[in-house]
Amino acid sequence: MSGQVDQIEASRDVSARRRRPGAVLHCGWCGRPIEQGSTGRRRRYCGQSCRQRAYERRVAVQRSGLPEDAVVLSDTELTALQDRLFQLRCAAEDVVTAVDDGADPGELRRMALELAEAARDLERLR
């Protein structure tokens, strides 16, 4: 099983090298942007604590028999995710309603920025 994990890790490293130069990479655990150095292997985690949490999750997944790509959420995390998705949908619907009502460009811009912020917040799943 650890050979399979090593292959997955190696394939992630290869795909990370194919990324555009200057592209922002995010922590594999918490989702925060990671500053990359100019040389050496690309960082996958923002710090040691995120690296440790990711390791603990990989070990727990291996022991449980779940597939490697399984996503496990607690009830609290699932509820929070559903709430954030609902907020995103409501913000999008507000923009559509404002366009239909003939809102001025400044108002539409403000609403679009709020929509983009809600989507950005949703990108951080952890």
Side-chain angles (χ1 to χ4, degrees), residues 64-102:
S64 70
L66 292 171
E68 284 291 325
D69 59 350
V71 176
V72 180
L73 297 174
S74 68
D75 286 338
T76 304
E77 291 170 321
L78 178 60
T79 301
L81 179 59
Q82 289 171 330
D83 288 346
R84 291 164 62 195
L85 284 167
F86 177 74
Q87 291 171 351
L88 181 64
R89 182 175 58 84
C90 289
E93 289 173 352
D94 289 347
V95 172
V96 170
T97 301
V99 168
D100 290 344
D101 292 344

Side-chain angles (χ1 to χ4, degrees), residues 2-3 7-9 12 14 19 28 30 32 41 43 47 49 61 74 81 89 93 103-104 108 118 120-123 126:
S2 78
Q7 289 174 341
I8 291 170
E9 299 294 323
R12 287 181 184 156
V14 169
R19 295 184 190 269
C30 69
R32 282 182 261 184
R41 185 186 312 175
R43 294 178 58 195
S49 63
V61 166
S74 68
L81 179 59
R89 182 175 58 84
E93 289 173 352
D104 66 275
L108 291 174
R120 195 174 302 114
D121 288 345
L122 190 55
E123 284 179 327
R126 296 187 175 102

Side-chain angles (χ1 to χ4, degrees), residues 15-34:
S15 64
R17 278 183 254 140
R18 292 184 195 144
R19 295 184 190 269
R20 299 182 313 270
V24 177
L25 297 178
H26 293 83
C27 177
W29 181 252
C30 69
R32 282 182 261 184
I34 301 175

